[in-house]
């Protein structure tokens, strides 16, 4: 398992895919103040939601490399011949996917929050939300990547599938940033993320099996 996770990280870092979500996230944080204008209070009120939207879209960027290259190259067949189940492969890919972009987004949130003019307490709520919510985004990305891996022009279809499914994470994450833990936003975010993390390996494993056949 550790070897599979390390392989996913090597592929992400070696191919430069790990830096794309980070760059995209920071670009949104840089450009959003220009769109809103110099209204500091408005920027502070809307900045948290904008950063959550940026995190969601950044999670989409590595979707093409998660499953399809291994399916096309026969790597998944070789792993299956070694007795490694598709669910275990999916768990390793989930862990590697999150490690390649989740911690980086949390680090990037510090300069992004400064660009948005977010207060310190809002920044820490954003960090907590990203810590809890990005595993769910990684799980959702993996599941959609596995489902669309064997389809032509899967990139656009993957985006169409993922964005509606990510709405709960976006709502609860942005709500936690803007209003704190009113109405249990943190608990709801954690529940949605945990549900995705628990279900994604089985959905992805079944999709990988179907794609191999």
């Amino acid at each position: 398992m550790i070897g599979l996770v390390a392989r996913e990280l090597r592929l992400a870092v070696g191919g430069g895919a790990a830096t794309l979500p980070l760059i995209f996230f920071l670009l949104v944080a840089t450009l959003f103040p220009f769109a809103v204008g110099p209204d500091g209070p408005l920027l502070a009120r809307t900045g948290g939601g904008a950063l959550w939207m940026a995190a969601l879209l950044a999670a989409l960027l590595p979707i093409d490399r998660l499953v399809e290259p291994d399916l096309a190259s026969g790597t998944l067949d070789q792993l299956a011949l070694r007795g490694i189940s598709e669910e275990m492969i999916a768990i390793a890919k989930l862990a590697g996917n999150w490690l390649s972009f989740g911690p980086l987004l949390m680090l990037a949130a510090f300069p992004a929050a400064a660009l948005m003019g977010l207060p310190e307490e809002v920044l820490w709520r954003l960090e907590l939300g990203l810590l809890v919510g990005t595993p769910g985004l990684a799980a959702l990305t993996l599941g959609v990547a596995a489902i669309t891996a064997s389809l032509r022009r899967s990139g656009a279809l993957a985006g169409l599938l993922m964005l509606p499914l990510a709405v709960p994470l976006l709502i609860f994450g942005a709500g936690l940033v803007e209003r704190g833990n009113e109405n249990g936003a943190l608990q709801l975010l954690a529940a949605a993320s945990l549900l995705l993390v628990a279900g994604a390996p089985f959905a992805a494993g079944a999709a990988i099996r179907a794609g191999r056949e």
Side-chain angles (χ1 to χ4, degrees):
M1 174 61 72
I2 295 176
L4 290 176
V5 175
R7 174 182 177 273
E8 294 297 322
L9 286 174
R10 285 197 303 271
L11 291 175
V13 175
T19 60
L20 290 178
L22 175 65
I23 294 172
F24 180 86
F25 187 80
L26 290 174
L27 280 175
V28 171
T30 303
L31 296 176
F32 186 74
F34 290 101
V36 173
D39 189 340
L42 176 61
L43 186 60
R45 285 197 309 272
T46 59
L51 291 180
W52 255 100
M53 179 60 74
L56 167 59
L57 296 177
L60 269 172
L61 295 179
I63 202 167
D64 288 335
R65 68 163 180 81
L66 287 177
V67 178
E68 196 277 333
D70 286 345
L71 184 63
S73 66
T75 301
L76 297 178
D77 294 327
Q78 296 176 21
L79 293 174
L81 290 175
R82 296 180 184 180
I84 302 175
S85 69
E86 287 79 5
E87 287 75 16
M88 292 297 293
I89 296 172
I91 291 173
K93 286 184 173 295
L94 170 56
N97 183 31
W98 182 79
L99 289 171
S100 69
F101 86 93
L104 292 178
L105 287 189
M106 293 179 66
L107 288 175
F110 287 99
L115 290 168
M116 297 284 191
L118 298 183
E120 183 177 353
E121 64 273 12
V122 175
L123 167 61
W124 290 115
R125 291 202 297 267
L126 173 64
E127 290 286 352
L128 179 60
L130 290 176
L131 177 63
V132 174
T134 48
L137 289 178
L140 187 55
T141 304
L142 172 65
V144 173
I147 291 171
T148 60
S150 58
L151 303 178
R152 296 178 61 185
R153 299 180 180 178
S154 60
L157 178 60
L160 292 175
L161 287 176
M162 181 175 170
L163 291 177
L165 295 174
V167 167
L169 294 175
L170 181 62
I171 291 175
F172 300 140
L176 176 64
V177 172
E178 294 174 7
R179 296 181 296 276
N181 198 29
E182 296 179 12
N183 302 320
L186 177 60
Q187 289 83 350
L188 291 170
L189 176 63
S193 184
L194 181 61
L195 181 63
L196 290 170
V197 170
F202 298 99
I208 290 172
R209 257 191 310 276
R212 287 177 48 241
E213 295 171 359

